[in-house]
Amino acid sequence: QVQLVESGGGLVQAGGSLRLSCAASGSTFSINVIGWSRQAPGKQREWVASISSGGTTNYADSVKGRFTISRDNAKNTVFLQMNSLKPEDTAVYYCYADLGFGRRFWGQGTQVTVSS
């Protein structure tokens, strides 16, 4: 089991920045990939970014060049630095952790609102 707690969401103007954090606990040694997805009102959840245990990062095209995912292994925490935010980035952002064999755990989500 892995527990994930997100923080750092809030209200920001377009063009601004926010940094989300995801603190993992439990069987963190079993995590293969940890990442972020988001869900805007009335839309399906979409994948945003991920980082593997080896440090390989991947990004959705919609955030590439603006968002950066990183991890602090000592603190079992993953960060999502979001720059040049746009109103279309408004969503609830969820942290997830993949442990392999189809096992995925989710955090409770944190709201990000970007005003125009």
Side-chain angles (χ1 to χ4, degrees), residues 43-95:
K43 295 187 177 181
Q44 288 189 331
R45 190 173 297 191
E46 65 170 348
W47 171 76
V48 174
S50 65
I51 184 167
S52 72
S53 57
T56 300
T57 58
N58 289 285
Y59 299 92
D61 287 343
S62 58
V63 307
K64 202 171 292 184
R66 299 188 299 122
F67 290 11
T68 302
I69 189 169
S70 62
R71 63 194 299 168
D72 183 336
N73 291 327
K75 297 183 178 180
N76 290 320
T77 301
V78 172
F79 305 98
L80 185 68
Q81 178 67 44
M82 306 186 295
N83 298 328
S84 302
L85 282 162
K86 306 174 181 179
E88 51 263 44
D89 294 318
T90 295
V92 178
Y93 283 70
Y94 297 92
C95 179

Side-chain angles (χ1 to χ4, degrees), residues 2 4 6 12 37 55 64 81 90 98 112-113:
V2 171
L4 303 168
E6 302 100 329
V12 64
S37 291
K64 202 171 292 184
Q81 178 67 44
T90 295
D98 286 338
V112 171
T113 302

Side-chain angles (χ1 to χ4, degrees), residues 10-61:
L11 173 64
V12 64
Q13 288 189 332
S17 299
L18 280 175
R19 189 175 82 153
L20 305 183
S21 299
C22 174
S25 60
S27 301
T28 57
F29 56 88
S30 298
I31 296 175
N32 294 328
V33 175
I34 192 164
W36 295 87
S37 291
R38 65 187 182 187
Q39 187 164 19
K43 295 187 177 181
Q44 288 189 331
R45 190 173 297 191
E46 65 170 348
W47 171 76
V48 174
S50 65
I51 184 167
S52 72
S53 57
T56 300
T57 58
N58 289 285
Y59 299 92
D61 287 343

